[in-house]
Amino acid sequence: MIRRPPRSTPKPSSAASDVYKRQLLELSRIESGQEVVDIRPVNLHKVVKDTIFNLNQQSQGNIPNIELAFDNGIIVLGQENKLVQIFQNLLQNASKFTPLSGEIEVNANPVENGHIMVSVSDSGSGIPTEHIAHVFERFYKVDRSRRDKGTGLGLSIVKHLVQAHGGEVSVESVEGEGSTFYFTIPNA
């Protein structure tokens, strides 16, 4: 008789499995071009403010302070619910790796070529240099020993949603000091 070794990790809950399936399906649709982005003028400040409110509700206020450091009159061209998803993924990651006493800042400034450069910066643990080139890949987790609920799909979804809006995404990080994720989106 062959016996399987005991599982070293617990089986994911049904809710976690549903999130994983939903994210994987969405990423597949985005990558294949089946996900159509309905571009309209959107108030960026309102999107970020609403996302922060929802994150506070979900975490019962147990997240670091998030500061909006840009003018509330910036209007971008995008699909509002997809922009919310971009910010939700970036802010959840920043919150996950930033102590409650730390800071998260969202900024937005016009850049050349008619785009807005958005940044989400945190004072968290940062990303080791050898991992930076891979953080936007499917299933990639910097710290695989963490038993968090992440699927490793969030930043890949961010990358593909930003690209679907005609923008680009990048990251700068210093281990032990924090990270800044950047993306561009067309200015209205």
Side-chain angles (χ1 to χ4, degrees):
M1 178 191 319
I2 299 174
R3 292 183 185 218
R4 288 176 45 169
R7 293 180 81 116
S8 60
T9 58
K11 188 175 179 180
S13 70
S14 176
S17 179
D18 289 347
V19 168
Y20 173 79
K21 288 175 189 174
R22 190 173 56 249
Q23 286 183 337
L24 188 57
L25 180 61
E26 178 168 21
L27 182 57
S28 295
R29 280 194 316 260
I30 297 166
E31 287 178 338
S32 69
Q34 294 175 1
E35 186 78 18
V36 177
V37 179
D38 184 21
I39 304 291
R40 299 175 188 273
V42 177
N43 183 301
L44 191 64
H45 197 272
K46 180 186 178 310
V47 166
V48 178
K49 196 172 175 182
D50 290 350
T51 304
I52 293 169
F53 177 80
N54 291 336
L55 286 175
N56 268 312
Q57 295 290 94
Q58 292 169 2
S59 66
Q60 298 172 344
N62 200 20
I63 60 173
N65 181 51
I66 303 174
E67 180 181 339
L68 275 69
F70 64 95
D71 179 37
N72 66 1
I74 293 180
I75 306 295
V76 297
L77 295 174
Q79 184 171 330
E80 188 167 346
N81 66 325
K82 299 301 182 190
L83 294 174
V84 166
Q85 191 171 6
I86 291 168
F87 282 108
Q88 187 168 19
N89 282 328
L90 291 174
L91 292 171
Q92 281 177 335
N93 275 2
S95 297
K96 189 185 310 182
F97 296 103
T98 302
L100 283 176
S101 61
E103 291 286 326
I104 299 170
E105 180 180 283
V106 181
N107 207 336
N109 293 296
V111 292
E112 294 177 16
N113 75 4
H115 280 71
I116 298 291
M117 173 69 76
V118 179
S119 63
V120 177
S121 302
D122 66 60
S123 60
S125 56
I127 304 167
T129 306
E130 65 270 19
H131 295 281
I132 290 177
H134 305 286
V135 297
F136 295 106
E137 295 174 6
R138 279 181 178 216
F139 307 113
Y140 196 82
K141 290 186 175 188
V142 171
D143 185 354
R144 297 190 184 278
S145 67
R146 290 178 61 101
R147 298 290 181 232
D148 63 24
K149 297 176 185 172
T151 61
L153 294 172
L155 290 177
S156 185
I157 290 171
V158 166
K159 172 187 165 188
H160 286 76
L161 284 176
V162 167
Q163 289 173 340
H165 280 83
E168 297 177 9
V169 64
S170 63
V171 62
E172 293 177 353
S173 187
V174 176
E175 192 172 7
E177 294 182 20
S179 302
T180 301
F181 285 82
Y182 299 94
F183 70 91
T184 57
I185 188 155
N187 195 354

